[in-house]
């Protein structure tokens, strides 16, 4: 069963390196907010700045966006300011390097900050969409590669129909894009190793991904700061250390 005692960190990292090598390139990574905290992006949960002032279940909920998009944009402007300033941290960079070396096949991320791509990862499934693009809910218009500085007015409006645009991210009350869900499910089922980084694994369907790997006979390696529902029953190995510390060390051992 799962080994989740604190143990000595170097031993655990060596064990993690062995798991990664044994996966023979068939490692799929699942990341969440925890990996981007070291880049200055606050997680939804836990009381940090932005989310103290804006309840995400109000400001990032699709029904309230449809009713009062201006209100959601108060939060979005502040969030985009944070995201646009953020740069990849050593955890993002280590994952990109693992992909380059053929040790990581895909990254499934719940983050909408594009930091994996900024670090050089190419095969990224964005489970919750991305803030890079804006979409119009009333017509098919899409603004790719949006930055706040490009907006002549805020909130930004659709040049075709005048409606207020929405970031192409999955708001509360919206479904995961079906293509992302299918690809992620297939990747998780085919993985020999699922590496879970910085996610409490309690938001579905992302939370199912490690279980799919496990059920198909794969292993699960977890790097989180605290115990999660995966720790013990699902994870074969858990390392309770920051990802921006563990992943570069892991890379050195390979
Ligand atoms: Zn429109």
């Amino acid at each position: 069963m799962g080994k989740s005692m604190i143990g000595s960190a170097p031993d655990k990292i060596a064990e993690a390196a062995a798991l990664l090598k044994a996966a023979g390139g068939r490692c799929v990574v699942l990341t969440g907010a925890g990996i981007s905290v070291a880049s200055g992006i606050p997680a939804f949960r836990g009381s940090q700045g932005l989310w103290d002032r804006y309840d995400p279940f109000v400001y990032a909920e699709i029904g309230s966006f449809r009713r009062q998009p201006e209100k959601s944009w108060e939060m979005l402007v502040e969030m985009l300011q944070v995201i646009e300033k953020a740069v990849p941290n050593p955890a993002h960079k280590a994952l990109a390097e693992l992909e380059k070396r053929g040790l990581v096949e895909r990254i499934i991320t719940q983050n909408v900050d594009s930091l994996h791509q900024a670090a050089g990862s190419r095969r990224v499934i964005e489970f919750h969409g991305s803030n890079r693009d804006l979409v119009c809910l009333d017509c098919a218009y899409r603004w790719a590669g949006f930055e706040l500085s490009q907006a002549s007015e805020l909130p930004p409006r659709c040049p075709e129909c005048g409606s207020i645009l929405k970031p192409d991210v999955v708001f509360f009350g919206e479904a995961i894009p079906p293509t992302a869900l299918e690809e992620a499910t297939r990747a998780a089922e085919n993985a020999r190793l699922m590496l879970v980084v910085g996610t409490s694994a309690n938001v579905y369907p992302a939370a199912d991904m490690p279980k799919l790997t496990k059920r198909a006979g794969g292993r699960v390696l977890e790097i989180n700061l605290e115990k999660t529902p995966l720790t013990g029953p699902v994870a074969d190995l858990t390392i309770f250390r920051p990802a921006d510390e563990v992943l570069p060390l892991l890379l050195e051992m390979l």
Side-chain angles (χ1 to χ4, degrees):
M1 287 315 287
K3 285 183 234 162
S4 53
M5 52 286 202
I6 302 289
S8 105
D11 286 356
K12 288 198 142 197
I13 293 169
E15 214 179 321
L19 279 175
L20 198 57
K21 280 185 207 156
R26 280 169 55 193
C27 170
V28 172
V29 185
L30 174 68
T31 66
I35 196 171
S36 293
V37 170
S39 293
I41 299 177
F44 267 154
R45 288 165 190 79
S47 56
Q48 291 176 66
L50 195 59
W51 306 118
D52 283 342
R53 283 175 292 123
Y54 300 107
D55 178 353
F57 294 99
V58 174
Y59 286 83
E61 196 273 322
I62 188 63
S64 63
F65 183 90
R66 286 183 187 276
R67 285 187 301 274
Q68 292 177 288
E70 302 85 354
K71 187 174 168 181
S72 292
W73 268 98
E74 289 170 29
M75 175 273 290
L76 288 167
V77 168
E78 280 199 47
M79 193 174 83
L80 289 171
Q81 284 168 344
V82 172
I83 288 177
E84 287 182 7
K85 264 193 300 195
V87 293
N89 67 59
H92 297 106
K93 290 180 189 165
L95 290 177
E97 181 59 28
L98 288 173
E99 182 184 316
K100 216 196 242 172
R101 295 193 196 173
L103 290 162
V104 159
E105 198 167 54
R106 303 299 286 266
I107 294 177
I108 304 167
T109 188
Q110 301 168 81
N111 300 338
V112 293
D113 54 31
S114 304
L115 290 178
H116 287 301
Q117 292 92 329
S121 290
R122 291 172 182 277
R123 306 197 67 204
V124 182
I125 301 172
E126 294 177 305
F127 231 32
H128 294 160
S130 159
N131 272 312
R132 285 187 314 271
D133 299 347
L134 302 182
V135 289
C136 177
L137 298 179
D138 294 316
C139 71
Y141 181 79
R142 168 178 289 267
W143 181 336
F146 173 78
E147 282 175 33
L148 281 176
S149 59
Q150 300 167 340
S152 55
E153 59 173 338
L154 285 172
R157 285 182 180 274
C158 174
E160 306 288 334
C161 75
S163 294
I164 291 176
L165 295 167
K166 175 185 167 289
D168 194 15
V169 299
V170 176
F171 273 37
F172 290 99
E174 284 189 298
I176 303 286
T179 324
L181 184 56
E182 274 165 38
E183 280 182 36
T185 302
R186 206 176 318 125
E189 285 172 343
N190 289 322
R192 280 200 196 132
L193 176 68
M194 164 115 1
L195 168 55
V196 179
V197 184
T199 174
S200 51
N202 52 20
V203 177
Y204 287 87
D208 280 330
M209 298 299 137
K211 290 175 198 155
L212 291 176
T213 302
K214 188 82 178 177
R215 220 171 290 152
R219 313 292 290 275
V220 176
L221 163 60
E222 180 188 25
I223 301 171
N224 266 322
L225 289 181
E226 289 167 2
K227 203 171 180 295
T228 74
L230 299 175
T231 314
V234 180
D236 294 280
L237 176 68
T238 299
I239 302 178
F240 292 117
R241 308 285 304 165
D244 58 322
E245 183 186 303
V246 173
L247 289 173
L249 290 173
L250 181 61
L251 196 58
E252 276 176 30
M253 287 198 183
L254 292 163

